[in-house]
Structure formats: C-alpha cells, structure tokens
Amino acid sequence: EFLHSIQISPSLLQEEEEEETSDSFYIKNIMLHRYVQHLINHPSLWNLVTTYASLLPLPTFMNVYSTFLTVVYDNKMRQSLLNQAKLYVPSKIDLVVLRRVVRIMLHDDDDDEEEQKEEDEEVRIGVVSMEEKKDAVRALRNVIVSNIRNGVVAGGITRKNKDDEDDDEVEQEEQEKRWKKALSKVLPSDARKMGSIHWLCYNSNYAGDALLCANMLLRQFMLEMEEDTEEEERGGEEAKSNKKHAREKMHSAKVFLDWCLPVDTVDNARMLAYKDEMSEGDHNEEDEDEADNNQDEMLVEGDETNEYDTYKGKTLSTSFVAEVVSEFDSLTIYLDAHTSFERWHDVLASISPIVSLSSSLSSSSPARRANKGSPSSSSRMEEDIIGKMERRTYLRRKRQIGKTVAEAADRAREAFISVMTHPGGWMMGDDTKNDNTKRANNAPDMEHGEEEQEQRKAEMRMLRSLCLPRVVLALHQVLDQTADWMEAFLDDARAYGVDSLLLASDARDDDNKEEDVDNDDGEESVHDDPLQSPLSPAYWHKMAIYIAEIVANDEYELSSAFTAEDLKRFMELMAETAVKLLHCSSAK
C-alpha cells in the first residue's frame, strides 16, 4: 500500500501549500527518498529510479539524481535514463542535471571534501571505487567504438560512402590496434572523467556544454602535466614519478581529443548558439510559459520563489560559445604542437647526419684522388664512372634524410608558431575584457556562473604562465638542434668535396638537381642562398632569430607570461643564436 501511495504521489504534491508542510507530507518525502536510494543501490532496478526520483522535491531530486548518474557507465542504460528524463523531468532540468553530473565526475578526486558535500544530508559524493573505475574504462571503450562506427573521431576513418564498409579492412584493423593501445595507457581515473563528457554528447543540442566541459577536463590534465614537469625540472626524489605522471596526463588529453570527443562538437555548438540567438525574439513566450507551467505542477515549491526558474538551464550565448571555441582551439593546437615536437625528436634521434660510403666511393672522392698517382686513361675513366654513380647514390641518400629532418622540424616550427600567434593571444579569451556581470550572464547556468568563470580565468592565466615559456624554449630547441644536425650533415659531405652541391640543392626539389651531380669537381651549377635552403644551418638559425619578433609583438602578449628569469634565459639564447648565424655568414 505504501509503494502504491508513492506511485500516485503526484496528486498529493498538488495539494494546498499547508498540505505540503504537513507532517504526513514530510514523512512521505522521507520514505520516498529512502526508496529511491534503495533502487539506486540495486542496479537491476535502475530503470525505475527516474520515475520515483522525479516525485521528490526539486532540490532533493537534483542532488539524488545527479549523484546517481555519476555511477552509470553503460551506454544503453545512460540513453534509457535520458529518455525517461524527457518524460518525467521538466524541460531543460535534464540539462542542469547533466551539467552537475559532469562537474561532479570531473572533480570527484579533489581533496576538498567540504566542496563535495551536497545540500541534502544523505547525499555524498564518495571515493570512487576501483571497480567503478574499471567500469568506466570498459564504458569508454564502448564510446570509442561507437564514435568510430559513426565516423566522428579525429583518429578514425571518416567514410564518405557507407556502402564501402568492406574496403580498407587492413586500415580498420590498424585503427583498432591504435585506439586499443592508446586506451590501455589511460589511467582509470582519467577514463572516468573522459567518459563523463559523453553525457552531454547524446543530444547535439548540448554541444556547447560538451565543449565547455571538455575545456575543463583538458585544462585539468594540462595543469597537472605542467606542474609535474616543473617539479621534475627542479629535481628531487619524486622527479621520476612526476615525469611519468605528466606523460600520462598528456596521453589522456590526446586520447580524449582523438577518440572520445566527437569532431563535430565545435560546429554543432556554433550552429546551435546562432540558431538560439536568431530565434530568441521569435518564439511565443505565452506558449512556452504554459508548457512549463504544466510540468511545474509536478514540482514542490517551498516559497513564492519559482524553484524551477532557479534551476532551469540557460542556453549558452553566441558570444560565450565563441569564447569557449577559442579556448578549445588554444588547447588543441598546444597538444598538436607537443605531438609535432615528439615526432621531430624521434626523427632527429633515429637519423644520423652521416651517410656511410662504400670503399670505392671513398677512394674516388676528389680529396682521395688528389693524393694518388696518375693511373692509366682507361682505369681513370672506369673510376670516374663508378665514382659518379656512387656519388649520385650518396647525394640521393643525403638529400632524403636531410629532407626528412627538415620537414619534421618545419612541422614542429609551424605548430609552435600557431600556439604563439593564436588570434587574440593563446588562452586569452574575450571574456577577460568583460565585467563580472557580463561574464555571469554569459555563463551556462546560475549554479555555475560567476564562480566557475573566475576559476576558468585563473586556470587560463596559470596555463599561460606555465606553457608559453616552454613553447618558446621548445621552439628554439627544435631550430637550434636542427641547425646543429645540418652542420654535421654538411661536414660529412665536405669530407668528399660535395659541400657546394648540397648547399645549392633544395631538399624539396631533388629531381631538378640531378644534373649538378655530374660535375666531378664538385662545382655547383645553381648557387642558392644558404638562408633559403632548409639543408643549411643558417636557415634554421635565421628562423630562431625570428622568435624574438613574435615574443616582442604586443598583439599576442607573450612577454606577459614570462618571469624575469624566463626572459633572461630567452635573451641569452637569442644572443647565442645571433653569434651562430654570424658564424654561418662568415663561413660562406
């Protein structure tokens, strides 16, 4: 009889206000709350949670239901609960719930327990068990599979025609190996946070919120990564552990972007914000109020204030979405730059600037040949032919490895410059120019308004101070070490009298230089400026000098992110590079 009375409680909740404050009403809500907790504690009964939880007073419902969703990882169960919420929960309350859910899951590892307590006495966000984290990894695996199947992942295969699913089977197998290997290195706690964003990806209308929360997650990963890197540079007993942790966070951030977040999230967020802005003045407010009032009858209002209006989720404004997109772009180009840097480092470490020569080529080089006697005419002709053939092979190999290193360095250079010259300044959102009131109005909802915006700004400033000096120094490292590699590259060639040929050769145009090789005396037929050739050390030193111009440009506000020590170190590097460039010019 009690459960039956609970089931028909919507009619009871519609009684007069004095009835809502009666002892029987209070007891009924207490019993209902306990019954909902019973359902939550039994996963086999989760399909009933939404129905009964929706009968609770709104503040209690928000706390109980949000906390409940944080432990739901199964993709089908999530979608089922969201469909039920459309039936039993007032319009847009589901969005506020999901906003809470994602934020709870993103911060459930924080040490400040007081901030994790909810208003309701019985609702606590406890420590996440290892079993839950394993469930989160399995759930994230399913998310990736679903995203790949739908062709919405950056690391997947985007098909224009679904009829050719039988094609590229080898490529699909390789893709599966890549994402499984990538996921295997993700920490369970990170997997849980990454999977939380997917709550906002089921409905494309929530793309703006998904992007906003994705930025929160990426900032969290990057702050942990950069702080650990800073500790590692200082040394100490935990340096090795910090280095490992920093790599794990960087890996998690890249896996999230490559495999977890749908690639159309940015476009959907922009499009929906624009549509909402255009239709804001066109909708019929009376019809909307009437629809909302019909659903508000299900809720309990403790006073004259409309509790529903307090919780109802606001649509993200176009200007706020633009800020969120700009921040997302800043984060992604930084991670792309890190990837390019790692690839350049791997290339430089795996390719030697010295090409081994055969004994016949060594003996036929101009330097060796000058020390020999005068052979007969036939043997000299034979030696010249062999020498030319092998020298062609030698130069082809030299140009090939030179081109590989130059291209890797150039990709890293362009990626770092993209970070440094990000429009408006890297991680410098337009919201920094707005006052507190405007920022609060742009925020996603009343719960997570001004306070969350202030935290976001603080984290962005911290990332600027941590990341930008590293970006500048890493870019200089790429250019300086590439120049050193090219110097050794040319020293190897000088030993065989082909220095001028290599200086005249452009690594991007091998085929047009074949005729130069036929010059036995090593004289070039084309005289290129070393500053224009990526095979020349001077080329990379000149690029390094250009960094100073970017740092000095007030448009990007790079210097504001530098400490006095950072600037001193940077100026020392620029001075060293200028000396190296001068040496290259005089050597010419």
Side-chain angles (χ1 to χ4, degrees):
E1 291 181 2
F2 170 73
L3 293 180
H4 179 68
S5 68
I6 292 295
Q7 194 170 8
I8 63 173
S9 60
S11 62
L12 298 176
L13 295 179
Q14 298 173 14
E15 298 294 334
E16 298 295 329
E17 185 174 341
E18 55 266 26
E19 291 295 330
E20 297 175 359
T21 59
S22 65
D23 291 341
S24 61
F25 182 83
Y26 177 76
I27 293 173
K28 185 177 293 294
N29 281 330
I30 291 294
M31 298 303 292
L32 176 59
H33 188 182
R34 291 181 178 177
Y35 182 62
V36 170
Q37 290 290 353
H38 171 76
L39 297 176
I40 291 174
N41 292 333
H42 295 78
S44 61
L45 302 176
W46 280 0
N47 61 318
L48 300 175
V49 172
T50 307
T51 304
Y52 287 100
S54 66
L55 305 177
L56 290 166
L58 182 58
T60 306
F61 165 78
M62 296 291 292
N63 294 332
V64 171
Y65 200 64
S66 298
T67 306
F68 161 61
L69 294 185
T70 64
V71 297
V72 178
Y73 301 107
D74 182 74
N75 191 49
K76 291 183 179 179
M77 178 57 70
R78 283 185 173 188
Q79 291 178 305
S80 175
L81 293 172
L82 290 176
N83 290 333
Q84 291 178 24
K86 292 179 182 179
L87 299 175
Y88 298 111
V89 178
S91 173
K92 293 191 178 180
I93 288 292
D94 59 334
L95 174 57
V96 181
V97 169
L98 294 181
R99 285 171 173 168
R100 279 192 174 197
V101 169
V102 176
R103 284 163 175 80
I104 290 171
M105 297 179 75
L106 290 181
H107 299 97
D108 59 11
D109 289 334
D110 290 350
D111 295 331
D112 191 351
E113 296 181 358
E114 292 300 321
E115 293 184 359
Q116 295 181 356
K117 294 181 179 179
E118 300 290 347
E119 293 178 6
D120 189 87
E121 179 174 306
E122 297 186 22
V123 179
R124 295 289 185 270
I125 303 170
V127 178
V128 181
S129 67
M130 182 54 67
E131 188 59 35
E132 283 186 47
K133 292 179 179 179
K134 290 180 180 178
D135 290 341
V137 173
R138 287 191 287 268
L140 189 62
R141 177 190 180 99
N142 294 333
V143 167
I144 292 175
V145 171
S146 176
N147 286 344
I148 291 175
R149 188 179 297 118
N150 295 327
V152 293
V153 290
I157 303 172
T158 302
R159 296 189 178 281
K160 296 182 179 179
N161 184 0
K162 293 186 177 181
D163 295 334
D164 58 0
E165 293 182 357
D166 294 334
D167 297 340
D168 303 327
E169 292 184 3
V170 174
E171 187 175 356
Q172 291 183 46
E173 290 178 3
E174 290 299 319
Q175 173 187 267
E176 183 176 357
K177 291 179 181 178
R178 288 200 308 273
W179 73 257
K180 285 184 176 180
K181 180 180 179 180
L183 185 59
S184 67
K185 298 179 182 178
V186 173
L187 295 174
S189 58
D190 289 348
R192 184 172 189 269
K193 294 177 181 181
M194 292 156 66
S196 71
I197 308 298
H198 202 64
W199 274 113
L200 294 165
C201 296
Y202 292 108
N203 189 337
S204 61
N205 291 326
Y206 302 159
D209 281 279
L211 200 62
L212 177 66
C213 292
N215 288 349
M216 292 180 190
L217 177 61
L218 292 174
R219 289 199 308 271
Q220 189 179 116
F221 284 157
M222 288 178 60
L223 282 171
E224 292 184 48
M225 173 189 67
E226 293 298 333
E227 288 171 356
D228 286 337
T229 303
E230 198 170 59
E231 289 294 327
E232 175 197 342
E233 291 177 351
R234 294 174 184 167
E237 297 179 358
E238 298 183 0
K240 189 174 182 180
S241 175
N242 288 336
K243 183 177 181 181
K244 180 175 181 292
H245 186 70
R247 287 177 177 173
E248 290 170 341
K249 294 301 175 181
M250 176 63 79
H251 178 75
S252 293
K254 292 179 181 180
V255 170
F256 174 73
L257 287 177
D258 287 344
W259 302 104
C260 302
L261 186 69
V263 293
D264 56 358
T265 303
V266 172
D267 291 338
N268 286 339
R270 283 177 172 148
M271 178 182 65
L272 292 167
Y274 177 75
K275 285 183 177 180
D276 288 339
E277 185 179 50
M278 295 297 293
S279 62
E280 186 176 351
D282 300 335
H283 68 276
N284 190 324
E285 294 184 1
E286 294 182 0
D287 292 344
E288 184 182 43
D289 292 341
E290 182 179 352
D292 289 344
N293 288 335
N294 291 337
Q295 291 181 311
D296 289 346
E297 294 177 356
M298 299 171 57
L299 304 175
V300 179
E301 299 178 2
D303 51 34
E304 295 180 356
T305 303
N306 191 332
E307 196 78 51
Y308 172 56
D309 286 342
T310 301
Y311 286 101
K312 185 175 180 180
K314 291 183 180 180
T315 302
L316 301 185
S317 67
T318 305
S319 59
F320 188 74
V321 168
E323 295 166 11
V324 172
V325 169
S326 177
E327 180 189 350
F328 180 76
D329 289 341
S330 293
L331 294 167
T332 53
I333 62 175
Y334 178 86
L335 294 171
D336 288 343
H338 184 273
T339 299
S340 297
F341 176 81
E342 288 187 323
R343 289 174 178 168
W344 162 82
H345 187 273
D346 291 342
V347 167
L348 207 68
S350 61
I351 298 180
S352 171
I354 299 174
V355 172
S356 300
L357 298 175
S358 65
S359 57
S360 58
L361 178 54
S362 299
S363 61
S364 62
S365 65
R368 295 289 183 87
R369 201 167 52 203
N371 296 326
K372 288 187 175 183
S374 300
S376 63
S377 175
S378 60
S379 61
R380 175 180 292 181
M381 182 178 298
E382 182 180 352
E383 183 179 300
D384 288 345
I385 293 174
I386 294 175
K388 287 181 179 180
M389 292 177 61
E390 292 191 342
R391 190 158 43 152
R392 278 198 181 95
T393 302
Y394 170 76
L395 285 175
R396 190 176 295 111
R397 290 171 60 191
K398 291 287 285 187
R399 288 175 181 163
Q400 183 180 14
I401 64 172
K403 180 179 180 181
T404 300
V405 171
E407 289 179 346
D410 204 48
R411 282 192 293 268
R413 179 187 65 83
E414 290 178 352
F416 280 127
I417 289 181
S418 294
V419 175
M420 296 166 60
T421 60
H422 186 69
W426 188 78
M427 295 298 280
M428 290 283 290
D430 293 337
D431 62 311
T432 57
K433 303 175 183 178
N434 298 332
D435 56 35
N436 290 340
T437 302
K438 187 172 182 181
R439 285 197 306 272
N441 290 337
N442 275 340
D445 58 65
M446 296 180 68
E447 284 190 286
H448 309 108
E450 187 173 344
E451 182 179 353
E452 185 171 281
Q453 281 293 85
E454 290 300 326
Q455 181 181 356
R456 171 176 173 260
K457 283 182 58 184
E459 291 178 352
M460 290 172 72
R461 286 193 296 269
M462 189 177 299
L463 282 173
R464 279 180 58 82
S465 63
L466 288 171
C467 297
L468 286 178
R470 298 186 192 282
V471 165
V472 172
L473 294 179
L475 174 56
H476 182 272
Q477 178 185 347
V478 169
L479 300 175
D480 187 65
Q481 292 188 10
T482 301
D484 290 343
W485 190 95
M486 291 299 177
E487 187 66 45
F489 174 81
L490 293 184
D491 284 343
D492 174 55
R494 291 187 186 104
Y496 301 98
V498 291
D499 173 51
S500 56
L501 277 172
L502 289 174
L503 285 175
S505 299
D506 188 337
R508 294 164 295 188
D509 190 15
D510 291 347
D511 294 337
N512 295 333
K513 305 297 180 180
E514 286 297 328
E515 63 271 16
D516 296 342
V517 184
D518 293 332
N519 247 325
D520 7 334
D521 297 330
E523 303 259 337
E524 70 273 13
S525 60
V526 180
H527 296 272
D528 289 345
D529 183 356
L531 292 176
Q532 303 300 321
S533 172
L535 295 179
S536 167
Y539 174 89
W540 300 101
H541 289 315
K542 181 183 177 182
M543 292 293 180
I545 292 293
Y546 176 64
I547 300 176
E549 295 183 24
I550 301 176
V551 173
N553 193 327
D554 293 336
E555 178 183 355
Y556 309 119
E557 300 190 36
L558 292 174
S559 58
S560 64
F562 282 64
T563 64
E565 185 179 348
D566 291 332
L567 284 174
K568 180 181 178 182
R569 174 59 179 155
F570 174 67
M571 295 306 295
E572 290 173 351
L573 291 175
M574 289 296 98
E576 293 173 5
T577 300
V579 171
K580 291 180 179 180
L581 180 58
L582 183 62
H583 175 74
C584 290
S585 300
S586 61
K588 178 186 175 183

